[in-house]
Amino acid sequence: MTVTSTRGNGMAFPEDLRDWQHELRVQFPIITAHPELAYLDSAATAQKPQAVLDAVHTYLTTSNANAGRGTYTWANRTTELVERTRDRVKEFLSDPAPERSGVHFTSGTTEGLRTIARDWLTSYLTDGDEIVVPVADHEANIAPWLETQRLLAAQGTHVRVLRMPYQAGSHDYDHVALAQLAGPRTRFVAATHVHHVYGGNMNVHRIRQAVGPDAVICLDAAQSVGHLPVSTADLDVDFVVFSGHKALALPGTGAVWARQARGPALAPGGWNGTPNTTGIVSLGTALDWLQAAGIDRIERWTTALAARLTDGLRHLDPYEILGCELSLAAGSPVQQRQGIVTFRHRDIASGDLGFILFSHGFMVRSDNHCQGSAGEKTGSVRVSLHVYNTPEEIDRLVAVLASLR
Ligand code: PMP
């Protein structure tokens, strides 16, 4: 039986996950070492469980070597670990045809998206093609595509940029408007799975129907991998790009998954040099850890914490919560916040609010969150959650926010 407690908004808190969560939380040394602090900035980068730290230590003390080169045991072992992580990424993304896809390791989502733009998109587009750019999403998912347009224009190839349409109320993509906008020359669509400011799931599975079978869809999954199931089969996308470091792996890690069914494959582009072997080892272990913890449970936990915070905040007069107004009343997947809640205080600037919150032990992100030019015009404070966060932290935060009237 699922035991839940209901709060004012009708959303139920998953009490049945309390023991499960406690067992996972204690595996994060930096979290348990600082009970007076609350880390609420996981959308920027996540903390690492002991298993990831151990895997890195073991690797460096037993088999550190270069990958794909030597013929001795350590080198072979390193090559094996890199290849295993590649397979692990495919499996984690529910790749329906792993023999026909590729995984390219990067330092994070920014580098992944840039790599696609530079190493693939420039040779894929021809004069008169159109690309769809999500102008209110993260700058990392805007700048590379505009740069490609400029680069190609300098060579005489003119590509039209179509601005991704958004729904006014929910900040979800407007899939109906997108279908009207997209034509036979729309060959590339950049999209984001979970919005890094509003926390909404952007219903990416509807894009394929809107743009047709031939357009290449590139997904920025920086805020979804490690938080909710990301299935390349269900979403019907061609590229998935994510940050390993936001999914519990070491800083400087990320990956591009590329389906090779449409257009040319994202070729490794010749000589890549020495890979970030330690980071790759940490990524494989982090994905194992997340899978064992249960992605569905992580999603239930972090969305429930986000709902708890939204519920606490919306009764406090000086605060404005960004994103969908209806989010809690309806409780549909469109309107849930995936572990990200962003807000403003009427009278306190977001940078100051960030300082005040840290003086109470809360680590949050303030200001403009690298949103593109069509995004928010004034700063805000973002609280972003992962499996180690607790309802007690949220309640303490709400109490402090309430005291700042
Ligand atoms: N896209 C989104 C949606 C993000 O939230 C972020 C990180 N804030 C990025 C891209 C950039 O990721 P990274 O720092 O790993 O390059």
Side-chain angles (χ1 to χ4, degrees):
M1 193 180 83
T2 301
V3 185
T4 54
S5 66
T6 305
R7 293 173 63 84
N9 55 33
M11 281 282 283
F13 190 81
E15 297 294 343
D16 58 311
L17 295 184
R18 286 236 189 209
D19 291 345
W20 163 86
Q21 192 271 343
H22 179 73
E23 279 189 20
L24 298 179
R25 177 179 163 92
V26 297
Q27 294 179 39
F28 290 81
I30 199 171
I31 298 286
T32 53
H34 300 283
E36 75 290 5
L37 299 174
Y39 185 72
L40 303 175
D41 198 18
S42 293
T45 200
Q47 301 303 342
K48 322 304 175 197
Q50 188 65 50
V52 167
L53 307 180
D54 289 347
V56 169
H57 186 266
T58 301
Y59 169 68
L60 289 174
T61 51
T62 63
S63 18
N64 179 45
N66 213 322
R69 290 156 172 80
T71 48
Y72 49 92
T73 323
W74 294 355
N76 291 340
R77 173 97 183 110
T78 298
T79 306
E80 219 177 87
L81 285 167
V82 170
E83 289 314 314
R84 196 186 87 82
T85 304
R86 231 184 271 287
D87 293 342
R88 203 64 199 79
V89 168
K90 294 182 184 186
E91 195 186 315
F92 198 80
L93 299 178
S94 306
D95 183 345
E99 67 291 351
R100 283 187 286 120
S101 66
V103 171
H104 177 80
F105 294 111
T106 67
S107 64
T109 301
T110 305
E111 190 191 301
L113 295 167
R114 267 214 199 106
T115 303
I116 293 170
R118 194 190 49 214
D119 291 358
W120 176 81
L121 190 60
T122 42
S123 54
Y124 177 70
L125 295 173
T126 56
D127 200 50
D129 282 347
E130 299 162 349
I131 61 175
V132 178
V133 176
V135 289
D137 291 4
H138 197 285
E139 194 55 43
N141 199 12
I142 301 172
W145 320 125
L146 301 182
E147 178 66 20
T148 298
Q149 183 197 33
R150 275 194 298 273
L151 258 170
L152 288 175
Q155 299 164 12
T157 300
H158 297 282
V159 168
R160 228 177 113 212
V161 168
L162 308 177
R163 293 163 70 90
M164 173 72 91
Y166 294 79
Q167 293 176 28
S170 67
H171 296 268
D172 189 9
Y173 299 136
D174 185 337
H175 301 88
V176 176
L178 179 61
Q180 286 161 359
L181 191 70
R185 295 305 301 268
T186 309
R187 300 192 67 217
F188 180 80
V189 181
T192 305
H193 198 184
V194 168
H195 199 283
H196 72 293
V197 176
Y198 307 118
N201 184 327
M202 307 298 277
N203 287 298
V204 168
H205 62 282
R206 296 202 196 126
I207 294 180
R208 173 62 61 205
Q209 205 185 353
V211 301
D214 299 324
V216 167
I217 302 176
C218 172
L219 188 65
D220 173 345
Q223 299 301 349
S224 55
V225 166
H227 286 268
L228 59 149
V230 180
S231 161
T232 59
D234 294 349
L235 297 174
D236 199 359
V237 295
D238 301 286
F239 289 110
V240 173
V241 185
F242 68 94
S243 309
H245 67 92
K246 296 184 205 281
L248 317 185
L250 287 191
T253 56
V256 172
W257 171 90
R259 179 151 78 143
Q260 299 178 357
R262 283 183 199 85
L266 176 73
W271 186 244
N272 273 325
T274 303
N276 175 7
T277 48
T278 334
I280 293 168
V281 166
S282 79
L283 178 58
T285 310
L287 297 182
D288 287 344
W289 192 94
L290 287 162
Q291 189 121 339
I295 291 291
D296 290 331
R297 287 176 164 194
I298 294 174
E299 181 182 16
R300 276 179 66 211
W301 185 258
T302 53
T303 52
L305 292 180
R308 195 175 181 104
L309 175 55
T310 315
D311 184 40
L313 263 178
R314 67 194 195 136
H315 299 297
L316 300 179
D317 180 48
Y319 294 96
E320 175 202 357
I321 308 173
L322 277 57
C324 183
E325 276 298 304
L326 303 170
S327 68
L328 295 175
S332 79
V334 193
Q335 315 198 321
Q336 235 173 30
R337 284 179 170 81
Q338 300 282 353
I340 294 179
V341 179
T342 304
F343 54 89
R344 298 188 182 100
H345 189 290
R346 195 178 46 214
D347 305 316
I348 307 175
S350 61
D352 295 341
L353 188 51
F355 277 117
I356 295 170
L357 290 177
F358 185 56
S359 74
H360 293 272
F362 300 103
M363 293 177 264
V364 299
R365 168 81 185 263
S366 38
D367 295 330
N368 72 3
H369 321 293
C370 313
Q371 199 177 5
S373 60
E376 300 293 326
K377 300 295 177 244
T378 49
S380 50
V381 162
R382 179 182 71 185
V383 168
S384 55
L385 307 154
H386 217 308
V387 66
Y388 33 76
N389 293 118
T390 63
E392 289 70 31
E393 289 173 332
I394 300 293
D395 294 348
R396 263 176 17 232
L397 175 66
V398 170
V400 169
L401 290 168
S403 72
L404 304 178
R405 284 173 199 243

